[in-house]
Amino acid sequence: MQLNGASALVTGGASGLGLATARRLLNEGAEVVIVDLPTSAGAEVAAGLGERAHFAAADVTDTAALTAAVERASGLAPLRALVHCAGRGGPVRVVGRDGRPGSLETYETVIRVNLIGTFNALRLSAAAMAANEPVHGERGVCVLTASVAAYEGQIGQIPYASAKAGVVGMTIVAARDLASRQIRVTTIAPGVFDTPILGRIPGDVRAGLAAAIPHPSRLGLPGEYAELAAHVIANPMLNGETIRLDGALRMAPR
């Protein structure tokens, strides 16, 4: 799928993996709509990226706001690509250190943003793509974001790991569902990446995370995620797969 003359929607696009992806897709010639929370720096980020970058404020679980973002992208040019990076964490243990059951409220919130928000972005974007005229046998591509936590979630990550495992599980089903509409669905499962969220943790902890990655023994760079997302969009045979992007990392229990 070529993006010249097309639009792309990047959720979580105001920072981290999403921002790197927005930059990359702009370089590919797309009109890029960055979707992020109203409290984010999305408007300033889009203004700094040039005239083909646009900002739409939306929580990915808010159907009305996300529909407006999809419509904005489709109004600029046919929506051909979704890269869904929006998400959040939130630690929960099954039984807390105080002996009380883990927070159901936190669990539900993390599931809602990471899993239900992913399906919301997928369904709304795919519906818009389905109305496109095919180009070289394709109407659009949806790139979702899981995590290595879907496979080796650490203690305290149960809501996040559950949600990301759900994203992995929906990938092949969505790809099969949308095949008749000539829309591909592929997921990237990143390992430990150098994003603003990770920037808040102490330097010695960051160094320990980097040392745990076999090769290259460093944190992943957002541009490396963006490079893979762009390749998924460009390569018509990448469909229904979850691709680990982790330097051979396998997370320890703690």
Side-chain angles (χ1 to χ4, degrees), residues 20 25 30 57 75 89 124-125 143 147 186 201 203 207 226 238:
L25 299 188
L124 295 174
S125 298
V143 182
S147 165
T186 295
I201 67 173
L238 281 172

Side-chain angles (χ1 to χ4, degrees), residues 10 23 25 30 70 88 101 151 199 245:
V10 181
R23 287 194 177 107
L25 299 188
V70 169
R88 60 154 292 175
Y151 306 98
L245 185 65

Side-chain angles (χ1 to χ4, degrees), residues 95-106:
V95 178
R97 290 188 174 89
D98 59 2
R100 300 178 64 185
S103 169
L104 184 60
E105 292 76 14
T106 302

Side-chain angles (χ1 to χ4, degrees), residues 16-17 20 189-196 198-199 206 209-226 245-249:
L17 305 182
V192 185
F193 272 66
D194 191 5
T195 62
L198 208 62
R206 284 167 54 90
L209 290 170
I213 301 169
H215 180 69
S217 189
R218 60 168 173 79
L219 303 179
L221 303 176
E224 292 167 330
Y225 173 96
L245 185 65
D246 59 14
L249 173 67

Side-chain angles (χ1 to χ4, degrees), residues 88-91 105-115 159-160 163:
R88 60 154 292 175
E105 292 76 14
T106 302
Y107 187 89
E108 287 179 333
T109 298
V110 174
I111 292 291
R112 180 161 182 78
V113 173
N114 290 304
L115 183 56
Y160 186 75

Side-chain angles (χ1 to χ4, degrees), residues 118-119 122-123 126 129 137-144 166-187 232 235-242:
T118 296
F119 179 67
L122 173 63
R123 73 186 184 100
M129 292 173 185
E138 294 194 279
R139 287 190 168 93
V141 185
C142 298
V143 182
L144 311 180
V167 175
V168 172
M170 77 167 63
T171 303
I172 185 61
V173 183
R176 289 169 167 173
D177 189 345
L178 295 171
S180 63
R181 300 184 184 275
Q182 299 175 298
I183 298 169
R184 292 186 286 117
V185 182
T186 295
T187 292
V232 168
N235 190 326
M237 281 301 287
L238 281 172
N239 193 19
E241 184 59 271
T242 297

